[in-house]
Amino acid sequence: MSDLPAQFTCFLVENAGRESHRAGIHSLSRGELPDGDLILAVKYSALNYKDALAATGHSGVALQLPLVPGIDAVGVVAASTSPDVSVGEEVLVKAADFGTRQWGGWSELASVPAEWCYPIPEGLDLLETVTLGTAGFTAAQCVQQLERHGVRPDSGPVVVTGATGGVGVFAVMLLHRLGYEVVAVTGKADRRDWLIERGAARVVEREDVDDRSGRPMLAGRWAGAVDSVGGNTLTTLLRGVKNGGCVTACGLVGGVDLAMTVYPFILRGITLQGVDSANTSREVSEAVWRRLGGEYRLADLQAVATHVPLASIGESVSRILRGEIAGRTIVEIGR
Ligand code: NDP
């Protein structure tokens, strides 16, 4: 404990009365940290779409105020009362409540239960682990689900929506690495070449996957899909996958409604597979991370990463909510 700083810096979201909130950088004393089995000296966190919602006080994500956002964190254990995690160990933190109900990673110090900590996966270093973070973990789950539902590289093209986003770009990279023909959907015309460099065979515009014809089924175009957009984009994908195809749904940046008929399900035998990264068991989480460090290992992760100091995170929050960010934003924290 004695080596721990008396003060630490964090990004705090607070209640400001009348259902409003304020958010910004604070210097707190160590005594203000919530209780936990261990204290992590955070080296890096990241900016996920969910973190941006938390940073703006969204009541569906910021489940407790005051809150430090940041669902991803890696760092070094600085103090521990747990026999399972030792001081000096490098760990990643993963838990549904981290950065939502309990203080997360946008902080020099994080106080967490020992069971939220995982060793840095074999084959990855600290920076690679946080670069992948929840986005890479979720993309890997989506790809695993496609494989589980029999979508193989020779089944036909797989479409990825929100392709320049965190989940999207890793889905593109993973599918390409595994030999799939990837069709990337993006709203960023200036990122076409960037997506092709990441492994997309073709890049199409958002409007291409936003059918408003009202037809219950569309020509079968894809063997599978990874969707982080939701809404009409998701129904377009479901109406346009081929017989026996699978669509994995993990996100809602484009909407939460799902207005469609049962026809694609009962006439084409397609699957809609939901993906939830937050509530996976420890066993499943370890298996996914093992894969990310092994057979799913991606080279040159920093090519999709932008580094931002904690003090400047506010500007990136606004940009990700406007859908302007491409790739991953790594929050630099450790001194
Ligand atoms: P990002 O903001 O990094 O990526 C989202 C991408 O979606 C954007 O870059 C943009 O890509 C596209 N997009 C943004 N707004 C719209 C819009 N209005 N219509 C269509 N496309 C849009 O977010 P993440 O990758 O962190 O997360 C993506 C989604 O997945 C979020 O909804 C998030 O909450 C969810 N998520 C869910 C998880 C789970 O466990 N279920 C885990 C992780 C994320 P482009 O410009 O290329 O089209």
Side-chain angles (χ1 to χ4, degrees):
M1 277 287 189
S2 56
D3 288 346
L4 284 171
Q7 295 285 127
F8 68 98
T9 302
C10 65
F11 183 100
L12 199 66
V13 188
E14 297 172 285
N15 221 322
R18 291 201 196 154
E19 295 181 16
S20 67
H21 73 281
R22 59 176 167 263
I25 300 291
H26 287 258
S27 177
L28 302 183
S29 68
R30 200 175 68 215
E32 292 177 88
L33 260 184
D35 290 337
D37 298 332
L38 54 89
I39 296 177
L40 184 70
V42 180
K43 182 98 170 82
Y44 305 106
S45 183
L47 170 63
N48 296 279
Y49 188 80
K50 193 172 179 179
D51 299 321
L53 294 178
T56 51
H58 189 292
S59 59
V61 179
L63 303 177
Q64 193 85 264
L65 293 180
L67 179 76
V68 173
I71 60 174
D72 290 321
V74 296
V76 181
V77 176
S80 174
T81 57
S82 163
D84 301 323
V85 189
S86 313
V87 170
E89 249 183 78
E90 289 187 336
V91 296
L92 72 95
V93 183
K94 181 189 180 303
D97 285 348
F98 190 60
T100 58
R101 198 179 296 281
Q102 296 197 31
W103 288 13
W106 291 5
S107 176
E108 286 176 336
L109 298 179
S111 170
V112 288
E115 65 266 24
W116 291 5
C117 294
Y118 293 75
I120 299 301
E122 213 179 310
L124 298 174
D125 63 22
L126 219 58
L127 182 55
E128 289 171 316
T129 301
V130 80
T131 303
L132 287 163
T134 301
F137 186 94
T138 308
Q141 284 180 293
C142 292
V143 172
Q144 278 185 334
Q145 290 294 354
L146 292 179
E147 291 178 325
R148 191 171 76 84
H149 288 290
V151 180
R152 310 262 172 254
D154 61 2
S155 307
V158 172
V159 62
V160 177
T161 61
T164 67
V167 175
V169 73
F170 289 133
V172 169
M173 291 164 78
L174 277 173
L175 287 163
H176 171 68
R177 184 193 186 305
L178 297 171
Y180 289 83
E181 178 188 343
V182 186
V183 180
V185 183
T186 185
K188 300 184 184 82
D190 60 337
R191 289 288 174 164
R192 297 179 77 89
D193 291 347
W194 186 82
L195 282 166
I196 285 168
E197 279 166 33
R198 307 282 84 79
R202 274 177 294 137
V203 180
V204 301
E205 293 172 9
R206 282 185 198 164
E207 293 67 31
D208 247 51
V209 192
D210 188 17
D211 178 82
R212 306 273 169 178
S213 68
R215 284 168 33 218
M217 285 174 48
L218 306 167
R221 286 204 272 170
W222 310 289
V226 173
D227 179 51
S228 55
V229 173
N232 195 57
T233 300
L234 178 54
T235 68
T236 304
L237 296 172
L238 290 164
R239 289 180 288 144
V241 282
K242 300 201 273 190
N243 275 14
C246 175
V247 177
T248 59
C250 69
L252 45 62
V253 291
V256 293
D257 293 331
L258 197 62
M260 62 181 293
T261 71
V262 296
Y263 286 123
F265 298 97
I266 64 176
L267 297 179
R268 284 185 178 155
I270 66 155
T271 303
L272 168 57
Q273 176 65 57
V275 168
D276 167 31
S277 64
N279 295 293
T280 49
S281 67
R282 189 168 184 96
E283 190 187 355
V284 167
S285 301
E286 283 173 347
V288 172
W289 275 115
R290 244 194 326 275
R291 269 195 144 168
L292 282 165
E295 62 191 286
Y296 282 6
R297 193 175 195 295
L298 295 170
D300 198 16
L301 287 169
Q302 292 319 299
V304 298
T306 303
H307 289 238
V308 172
L310 181 60
S312 315
I313 193 65
E315 191 198 325
S316 303
V317 166
S318 308
R319 291 190 59 226
I320 200 169
L321 290 174
R322 292 197 299 265
E324 290 175 6
I325 286 185
R328 284 285 277 171
T329 303
I330 306 306
V331 187
E332 298 261 4
I333 294 178
R335 293 162 200 237

